[in-house]
Amino acid sequence: MIDSNQKYYFIGIGGIGMSGLAGYLKQRGCPVAGYDLTPSSITEKLAQSGIPITYSSDVSDIPSGFIGPDVTVVYTPAVPKQHQQLNYFIQVGNNIIKRAALLGKLSQKMPMIAVAGTHGKTSTSSLITHLLLEAKIPLSAFVGGIISQYKTNFIDRGDDVVVVEADEFDRSFLYLFPTIGCITSMDADHLDIYKTHQELKNSFVQFSSQIKQQCIVNYGLEIQGTTYGFNQQADYYPMDIEQTPTGYKLNIHTPSKDYYGIEFHQIGKHNLSNLMCAIAAIDQLTCPMDKVMQSIKNFKGIERRMHVEMIDSVVFIDDYAHHPSELNAVYQSINHFYNSKKSCVIFQPHLYTRTRDFMDDFAKVLSKFDQVILLDIYPAREQAIKGIHSHALLDKIENAQKSLIAKKDIEQWIQSTDAEVILFLGAGDIGLEYQKVIKRLKHSI
């Protein structure tokens, strides 16, 4: 039961995960305020709902009424340790709680579907959310991206089930004890936290042990559970896959029934895998699966997840891919759908540690594209590491057509290239650059 008199102050309220929780609490009558570094469409929407937001980290700029012992302070590991407001609240003894711990607390009495994995969390949780909504299941959902047809990352349609992403960063997902848990992948990542790939795998094993009812696992992962994938030994798998101009037509095998003539308007084999995971999770509920299957064709995707636009016969793709495996999945998708077209990737590396840990892997996959344009590393929460920069990555890329440019020069470069498929990839602010470029190009037509 939520105490509507409890005040909450979110440090980093504009974050995709934080904003959903802030909106959820606000809609349930709790006084909510927050800080973020810069204004955005997300903070603007929160402000319109009546949540006061400051963009100054000074303690004196904390909104009125949110200083005192009755305020619970919510933060994420992405907040710098030296943040003035966070340190102030720690010093005066306020209740300080991580975002993941709050999510676990709020959802502990509701049936939960939690999607974990180093890749595929947002697409899979968004698919689950959409399909359950189409099946008229009252739910709340907190996902890590903006679902295109709902224009939000937060859905509040009831409490029969809650759909969440279970983030492995900083071991946040270990605060969750879901009814149904999904594990899409366990590739090496966040080695600044886990140190070794095996340590990361161990954390996923622990997460799987916290699942109350059913663990859904990508076939081939070394975790016990109901499986999905492309192998016909999996419990759930696609059959007779046909490529269409906008995605796929396929049949789907489940343990109880086969479904035929399914249309899925997303491109990429990785998205088909995410669809199988979503179907496997939903099939554990009491849910009209015929209706679910019919609703797959209505899914419009997630912003910054293989978002495709065509302008003057040039294909522009915007994607959040920031790990070598994700870049390779994007490459495989465009190589399959646009194999006769010349490709160029504009890539913004994300984090110094990730660039350091996977420098050779990044270089290997980037070398597959016809042209490679690098931007400077997006630091996010990190300080620079000596010798780790985009110049070093560029040197390792085995491609004659490669450059390092500033963000301000992207549009000028696009006007000079003969590439027919141009991709904007990365988890930093490159998505904003994509939006600027697309807007200007459309206005110039």
Side-chain angles (χ1 to χ4, degrees):
M1 187 71 180
I2 295 173
D3 181 2
S4 61
N5 294 315
Q6 177 63 54
K7 298 179 181 179
Y8 291 90
Y9 188 71
F10 286 76
I11 299 179
I13 196 168
I16 201 75
M18 294 278 275
S19 60
L21 283 172
Y24 181 85
L25 291 168
K26 175 66 177 177
Q27 290 188 26
R28 279 154 180 74
C30 298
V32 177
Y35 156 88
D36 208 79
L37 183 62
T38 55
S40 66
S41 58
I42 291 177
T43 57
E44 181 180 341
K45 190 172 182 178
L46 291 173
Q48 289 173 353
S49 73
I51 296 177
I53 299 174
T54 179
Y55 301 99
S56 166
S57 61
D58 291 344
V59 175
S60 60
D61 289 317
I62 295 172
S64 175
F66 287 85
I67 287 183
D70 58 339
V71 178
T72 293
V73 179
V74 187
Y75 76 105
T76 74
V79 175
K81 293 181 180 179
Q82 65 272 26
H83 193 277
Q84 294 179 46
Q85 292 180 1
L86 179 59
N87 282 303
Y88 165 77
F89 284 117
I90 291 172
Q91 290 167 7
V92 299
N94 280 79
N95 179 31
I96 312 291
I97 187 171
K98 285 185 179 181
R99 180 197 69 84
L102 177 62
L103 177 60
K105 181 181 178 181
L106 294 179
S107 57
Q108 63 186 358
K109 294 185 178 180
M110 290 186 282
M112 175 194 287
I113 301 176
V115 182
T118 45
H119 322 298
K121 290 187 293 292
T122 299
S123 296
T124 304
S125 57
S126 297
L127 271 162
I128 292 170
T129 299
H130 165 71
L131 296 174
L132 288 178
L133 286 174
E134 291 284 294
K136 307 300 182 185
I137 304 297
L139 63 84
S140 297
F142 304 88
V143 301
I146 304 299
I147 308 174
S148 295
Q149 58 223 93
Y150 307 110
K151 304 301 180 186
T152 183
N153 62 311
F154 165 55
I155 303 290
D156 189 9
R157 304 276 185 88
D159 292 335
D160 281 18
V161 65
V162 58
V163 181
V164 305
E165 289 190 30
D167 189 3
E168 76 278 2
F169 176 69
D170 201 39
R171 298 178 173 83
S172 293
F173 61 172
L174 298 183
Y175 287 100
L176 303 178
F177 294 81
T179 311
I180 299 165
C182 305
I183 300 177
T184 65
S185 49
M186 299 189 301
D187 291 345
D189 200 3
H190 304 301
L191 297 184
D192 54 325
I193 300 295
Y194 290 100
K195 308 307 178 187
T196 68
H197 189 187
Q198 187 57 52
E199 191 177 339
L200 178 140
K201 289 181 179 179
N202 293 343
S203 193
F204 276 96
V205 171
Q206 183 176 342
F207 170 75
S208 71
S209 72
Q210 297 176 186
I211 298 170
K212 298 175 183 177
Q213 179 177 308
Q214 193 65 46
C215 182
I216 309 297
V217 186
N218 198 340
Y219 183 85
L221 295 183
E222 297 175 354
I223 290 180
Q224 294 297 312
T226 297
T227 58
Y228 71 92
F230 295 95
N231 192 302
Q232 292 191 3
Q233 293 183 3
D235 297 308
Y236 296 80
Y237 58 85
M239 304 181 294
D240 307 317
I241 302 168
E242 298 177 20
Q243 183 179 317
T244 69
T246 58
Y248 303 95
K249 187 174 182 180
L250 66 149
N251 303 325
I252 293 177
H253 171 81
T254 77
S256 59
K257 181 180 178 180
D258 291 345
Y259 297 87
Y260 298 93
I262 307 300
E263 295 179 29
F264 185 45
H265 300 296
Q266 303 295 311
I267 68 173
K269 191 175 179 181
H270 60 294
N271 275 321
L272 277 176
S273 179
N274 296 333
L275 174 62
M276 291 302 105
C277 183
I279 293 299
I282 292 171
D283 202 25
Q284 310 308 308
L285 304 173
T286 303
C287 197
M289 291 304 292
D290 286 319
K291 174 64 175 175
V292 167
M293 295 295 176
Q294 293 168 9
S295 301
I296 292 172
K297 64 183 178 183
N298 301 329
F299 182 63
K300 296 181 180 179
I302 310 103
E303 293 182 10
R304 300 225 63 226
R305 302 303 194 279
M306 290 301 290
H307 178 79
V308 180
E309 304 226 21
M310 182 171 286
I311 300 176
D312 285 342
S313 76
V314 177
V315 178
F316 289 86
I317 296 176
D318 183 32
D319 195 90
Y320 190 70
H322 57 283
H323 183 280
S325 296
E326 295 168 346
L327 266 66
N328 190 57
V330 171
Y331 172 77
Q332 295 299 332
S333 298
I334 67 151
N335 192 48
H336 191 57
F337 276 80
Y338 309 108
N339 60 350
S340 64
K341 295 180 180 290
K342 183 176 181 178
S343 65
C344 174
V345 58
I346 304 172
F347 177 56
Q348 181 187 49
H350 184 259
L351 299 180
Y352 293 102
T353 53
R354 183 179 285 121
T355 307
R356 175 197 65 198
D357 294 338
F358 302 105
M359 179 93 63
D360 291 341
D361 295 326
F362 276 125
K364 183 177 180 180
V365 66
L366 288 168
S367 297
K368 296 178 181 180
F369 294 89
D370 296 316
Q371 291 181 325
V372 181
I373 303 299
L374 292 186
L375 304 180
D376 286 332
I377 295 172
Y378 186 82
R381 57 187 176 269
E382 294 184 341
Q383 298 296 315
I385 298 174
K386 185 177 181 180
I388 305 301
H389 40 67
S390 291
H391 281 288
L393 175 56
L394 191 73
D395 288 342
K396 287 179 173 287
I397 295 171
E398 296 177 357
N399 191 318
Q401 298 188 57
K402 59 182 182 180
S403 301
L404 175 63
I405 68 173
K407 285 187 289 188
K408 65 181 180 61
D409 297 324
I410 291 176
E411 188 171 353
Q412 180 181 348
W413 181 88
I414 286 175
Q415 292 172 349
S416 66
T417 185
D418 61 348
E420 302 162 280
V421 179
I422 299 175
L423 304 101
F424 287 65
L425 305 183
D429 58 4
I430 189 172
L432 299 176
E433 299 304 316
Y434 173 86
Q435 293 173 16
K436 293 176 187 176
V437 167
I438 293 299
K439 184 177 181 180
R440 288 171 186 154
L441 288 175
K442 286 183 174 180
H443 283 311
S444 66
I445 295 176

